[in-house]
């Protein structure tokens, strides 16, 4: 092997080692980015579930109060309609 060939071979080996180091760094960065992305979504979904768990009693109270108000207003309207019918029947 001539000295020129040996020098070219050594440069190729050095470039391959440098590329290998860069590829390992890129792979490590991608792995860390993937882990951080998973942690990000776990925090987002976990906080949403936690917020729902914390707010759930208040929501149930509000829906119950809305249902009661709806029933009382509906009952009031029916009572008014019944009263109007009774008044009409009295006039006849």
């Amino acid at each position: 092997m001539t000295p020129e060939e040996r020098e070219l071979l050594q440069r190729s080996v050095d470039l391959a080692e440098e590329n290998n180091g860069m590829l390992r760094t890129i792979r490590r960065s991608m792995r860390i980015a993937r882990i951080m992305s998973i942690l990000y979504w776990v925090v987002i979904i976990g906080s949403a579930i936690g917020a729902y768990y914390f707010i759930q009693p208040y929501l149930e109270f509000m829906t119950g109060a809305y249902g009661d108000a709806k029933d009382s207003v509906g009952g009031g309207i029916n009572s008014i309609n019944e009263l109007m019918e009774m008044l009409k029947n009295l006039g006849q």
Side-chain angles (χ1 to χ4, degrees):
M1 185 182 291
T2 65
E4 292 173 358
E5 291 174 339
R6 186 165 191 79
E7 183 182 336
L8 286 173
L9 183 61
Q10 185 60 38
R11 283 178 49 195
S12 295
V13 169
D14 291 341
L15 283 174
E17 288 175 353
E18 184 181 350
N19 286 341
N20 188 23
M22 286 190 293
L23 289 173
R24 286 179 184 266
T25 303
I26 291 171
R27 188 186 312 165
R28 186 181 320 121
S29 297
M30 288 176 61
R31 189 176 299 135
I32 291 171
R34 186 178 304 131
I35 290 170
M36 294 305 284
S37 176
I38 290 170
L39 286 175
Y40 172 80
W41 284 108
V42 165
V43 167
I44 295 292
I45 293 170
S47 63
I49 291 171
Y52 176 73
Y53 179 75
F54 178 71
I55 295 174
Q56 182 182 7
Y58 301 110
L59 291 176
E60 288 176 357
F61 173 75
M62 294 300 288
T63 55
Y66 173 73
D68 292 343
K70 184 178 173 183
D71 290 341
S72 66
V73 168
I77 291 172
N78 288 338
S79 299
I80 292 173
N81 288 337
E82 290 173 6
L83 181 62
M84 294 291 284
E85 288 295 322
M86 289 172 62
L87 289 174
K88 285 181 186 177
N89 289 338
L90 281 176
Q92 293 177 355

